[in-house]
Amino acid sequence: MLVAAAVCPCPPLLVPAVAAGAAHELDVARAACTDALGVLAAARPDRLVVVGPAARSGRGPHPEGTPGSFRGFGVDLDVRLGRDTGTASGRALPPSLAVAAWLLGRTGWSAAPIEGLGVGETLEPERCAETGRDIAARSERVALLVMGDASACRTLKAPGYLDERAAPFDAEVARALGEADVAALKALDPGLADELKASGRAPWQVLAGAAEETGLSGALLYDDAPYGVGYLVATWS
């Protein structure tokens, strides 16, 4: 059963070494992520599942100890998902889960064993929800760390250029995450999310499936678009 969830953005720029001279620009976002992970630890889960968007090569389960790297972003920095158990698969973490691994390592996560799941950004909403139900059923007390960004079309200089639909889309997602509105997350249009380059759509819908009939309450901790990309941090508990 899902007992708590944290939603965090997943830009590699969240890692100060990647952001370099601009690292301070996401200090508030990092602090919000730290607070969100604190909510997960306080729930005393017996399992933490980290879910994030992934390309085909990065999909599927990633056991605790799976390594990741930011070398593809020009930084000699390696991370690992939780403890080194010696049982990691040969596949490296996708970037979204590498950011999660960095966040967990930064806060010294030790509250529960960890596993990661890369979710294809085009996965259909019902399959996302089904995945969430399966995750919630794995253990008596499951926590979710859900990685993903909102639209990348908030400004002219954004990666996806300016799209007038981006701000309303992000506002509805922020509301749904802040209110733990499962139905609203399930109703997100995958086609629109794809057009707006919102990588969090599928992971958020996994959360929606996991949270069905749990009665969890939401809190929105951060909502901004410093680079024209919507970054959201929320907790459900």
Side-chain angles (χ1 to χ4, degrees):
M1 177 179 178
L2 185 71
V3 295
V7 176
C8 293
C10 60
L13 288 173
L14 204 59
V15 179
V18 176
H24 69 282
E25 295 176 6
L26 289 180
D27 281 347
V28 177
R30 292 185 196 98
C33 291
T34 298
D35 291 343
L37 292 182
V39 171
L40 295 186
R44 298 184 178 180
D46 49 35
R47 181 189 300 265
L48 173 65
V49 180
V50 184
V51 180
R56 182 175 298 277
S57 61
R59 296 179 192 175
H62 298 274
E64 184 159 20
T66 300
S69 173
F70 293 97
R71 296 174 189 271
F73 300 96
V75 175
D76 185 13
L77 175 64
D78 297 320
V79 292
R80 191 175 295 279
L81 189 64
R83 300 173 297 112
D84 183 359
T85 62
T87 60
S89 66
R91 293 180 299 124
L93 296 171
S96 66
L97 297 189
V99 173
W102 179 82
L103 286 171
L104 290 164
R106 176 176 182 256
T107 57
W109 176 270
S110 61
I114 307 170
E115 62 184 85
L117 181 65
V119 180
E121 292 187 38
T122 60
L123 192 66
E124 298 87 347
E126 182 47 42
R127 289 190 61 194
C128 291
E130 182 180 348
T131 298
R133 295 182 200 109
D134 290 344
I135 290 172
R138 290 181 194 172
S139 190
E140 188 172 330
R141 298 185 64 80
V142 177
L144 269 178
L145 173 54
V146 183
M147 308 298 292
D149 300 338
S151 74
C153 303
R154 292 279 292 271
T155 66
L156 292 174
K157 294 183 178 181
Y161 197 64
L162 177 64
D163 191 314
E164 293 181 354
R165 301 171 297 174
F169 176 89
D170 288 356
E172 172 58 10
V173 172
R175 184 203 64 78
L177 291 175
E179 297 177 10
D181 189 336
V182 168
L185 292 180
K186 286 183 177 181
L188 291 175
D189 181 349
L192 177 60
D194 181 63
E195 291 174 11
L196 297 177
K197 304 184 184 302
S199 69
R201 190 276 306 172
W204 299 330
Q205 290 182 324
V206 171
L207 168 61
E212 290 174 347
E213 300 179 8
T214 61
L216 297 178
S217 298
L220 186 66
L221 307 185
Y222 180 86
D223 177 4
D224 203 355
Y227 304 114
V229 182
Y231 297 150
L232 301 167
V233 180
T235 58
W236 291 17
S237 61

